[in-house]
Amino acid sequence: MKFDRMNSAGYLVNNMARLLVEVLRKRIAPLGIVPGQFPALLALWEKDGLTQKELLAMLDVEQATLANTLTRMERDGLIIRKEHPADARARTIHLTEEGHSIRDAAYQTATRINEEVLDDLSDEETQAFLGYMRRVIGKIKEVES
Amino acid sequence: MKFDRMNSAGYLVNNMARLLVEVLRKRIAPLGIVPGQFPALLALWEKDGLTQKELLAMLDVEQATLANTLTRMERDGLIIRKEHPADARARTIHLTEEGHSIRDAAYQTATRINEEVLDDLSDEETQAFLGYMRRVIGKIKEVES
DNA sequence: TATCATTGCATAGCAAACTATGTAATAATA
DNA sequence: TATTATTACATAGTTTGCTATGCAATGATA
């Protein structure tokens, strides 16, 4: 019984993800952000002043992961948290000027990386690849439940 | 400027990897192992008594990551490290009976997960998908250098 | 209204990845 | 041979993911 990594979807997916996140890490380091902050920033660039719960609904991470990420973002001067006007349990999350200012550069960096790593695939292949990933993601979400 | 996650290779890859590793974590928990130990176990099941350096050459992680993983595996009773007969800096890594005994179940679990998550893809689509991943991995390794 | 359940968020603890650096031991060389 | 370089591995520190749990505030209900 052999287990060939190059024919294991799980192995390839994991390997690809780790390589990609390290490329992103290097490229966005000059902006003063790290990969884990990216999804939260994307959401906040679209809509500012959300509560953690509202932000969480836009992302695919667990609540505790987001809470910790937000704490680091606040430490790094990307956001501030203000008390919620109507609910003392909640806080609203606001981009700082710093957090706002890196938006375009961050978008461009992420878009550029996607283009570069897919450069060897034709447009049809790229669409097929993205489609497969969406289907597999859907399947995993079925399977795990 | 919008950033659509479902059309971002980076986002999809990361999401898919996290979902997959959690499925693997749940399924192999009864065996007393965790996902990060899997690659090292696969290599040791093929060839036992390697040095860390030799094992490292068979894997795709950094040396420090492997050293820590091996420490946890030793703690968990999966391996023991013995002093190298000829080089006092090195240690040879040996599966325990426990580490050896879970081999078939672990293989089957991993194979099963791969089959399940790819179940919605035809054989041709699966081969295309694996091929795209191999090509993208190759491209990332070019890009990052 | 007093109690109980739920909600929003934070914290603790672990895994697993990374880079950077430390520490011996071994090998190479001046 | 004494010094220097290299090698093998370990450790420190950070990020980012997870689950489990705690705590205070809010909402529901007896």
Side-chain angles (χ1 to χ4, degrees):
Chain A
M1 172 127 63
K2 270 287 286 304
F3 194 88
D4 179 11
R5 296 180 302 175
M6 292 317 270
N7 274 314
S8 163
Y11 184 84
L12 292 170
V13 166
N14 184 266
N15 194 204
M16 186 168 52
R18 279 165 37 221
L19 289 168
L20 257 180
V21 85
E22 291 309 319
V23 170
L24 182 62
R25 189 184 305 281
K26 273 165 203 153
R27 301 272 187 101
I28 61 178
L31 302 177
I33 59 175
V34 286
Q37 298 169 348
F38 219 99
L41 285 169
L42 285 172
L44 290 168
W45 286 328
E46 264 189 48
K47 188 154 174 24
D48 198 51
L50 299 168
T51 64
Q52 185 186 114
K53 184 192 168 139
E54 290 165 340
L55 184 54
L56 185 65
M58 301 172 71
L59 307 181
D60 292 306
V61 293
E62 295 303 316
Q63 178 268 323
T65 300
L66 178 56
N68 282 324
T69 297
L70 291 173
T71 298
R72 286 190 292 267
M73 290 172 76
E74 193 161 30
R75 178 203 63 190
D76 296 348
L78 297 166
I79 58 164
I80 53 169
R81 292 190 269 202
K82 298 182 185 169
E83 56 183 37
H84 192 282
D87 187 340
R89 292 169 303 181
R91 296 202 271 168
T92 55
I93 299 157
H94 306 262
L95 288 165
T96 60
E97 182 47 38
E98 165 72 12
H100 196 77
S101 68
I102 57 175
R103 174 180 166 155
D104 288 1
Y107 269 117
Q108 283 161 23
T109 302
T111 304
R112 189 96 208 293
I113 292 172
N114 279 332
E115 286 168 2
E116 285 180 35
V117 302
L118 295 174
D119 194 48
D120 287 352
L121 305 193
S122 70
D123 287 357
E124 297 73 40
E125 288 173 326
T126 295
Q127 287 314 309
F129 183 42
L130 298 178
Y132 294 156
M133 288 198 284
R134 288 189 289 258
R135 286 164 68 188
V136 170
I137 286 170
K139 187 68 179 179
I140 300 172
K141 286 180 177 170
E142 275 178 43
V143 158
E144 70 176 341
S145 58
Chain B
M1 174 128 59
K2 271 288 284 305
F3 195 89
D4 179 11
R5 296 180 301 175
M6 292 316 271
N7 274 313
S8 164
Y11 184 83
L12 291 170
V13 166
N14 184 266
N15 194 202
M16 188 168 50
R18 279 164 37 221
L19 289 168
L20 257 181
V21 84
E22 292 309 319
V23 171
L24 182 62
R25 188 184 306 281
K26 272 165 203 151
R27 300 272 188 102
I28 61 179
L31 302 178
I33 60 175
V34 286
Q37 299 169 348
F38 219 98
L41 285 170
L42 285 172
L44 290 169
W45 286 327
E46 266 190 48
K47 187 154 174 24
D48 198 51
L50 299 168
T51 65
Q52 186 186 112
K53 184 192 168 140
E54 290 166 337
L55 184 54
L56 185 65
M58 301 173 70
L59 307 181
D60 293 306
V61 295
E62 295 302 317
Q63 177 268 324
T65 301
L66 178 56
N68 282 323
T69 297
L70 291 173
T71 298
R72 285 189 293 267
M73 289 172 76
E74 194 161 28
R75 178 203 63 192
D76 295 348
L78 298 167
I79 58 165
I80 54 167
R81 291 190 270 202
K82 298 182 184 167
E83 56 183 36
H84 192 281
D87 187 338
R89 293 169 302 180
R91 295 201 272 168
T92 55
I93 300 158
H94 306 262
L95 288 165
T96 59
E97 183 45 40
E98 165 71 12
H100 196 76
S101 69
I102 57 175
R103 174 180 164 154
D104 288 0
Y107 269 116
Q108 282 160 25
T109 302
T111 304
R112 188 97 209 293
I113 292 172
N114 279 332
E115 286 168 3
E116 284 181 34
V117 302
L118 295 173
D119 194 48
D120 288 352
L121 305 193
S122 70
D123 288 357
E124 296 73 41
E125 288 173 328
T126 295
Q127 287 313 309
F129 183 42
L130 297 178
Y132 295 156
M133 287 198 283
R134 288 190 288 258
R135 286 165 67 187
V136 170
I137 286 171
K139 186 70 179 177
I140 301 172
K141 287 180 176 171
E142 276 179 42
V143 158
E144 71 177 340
S145 58

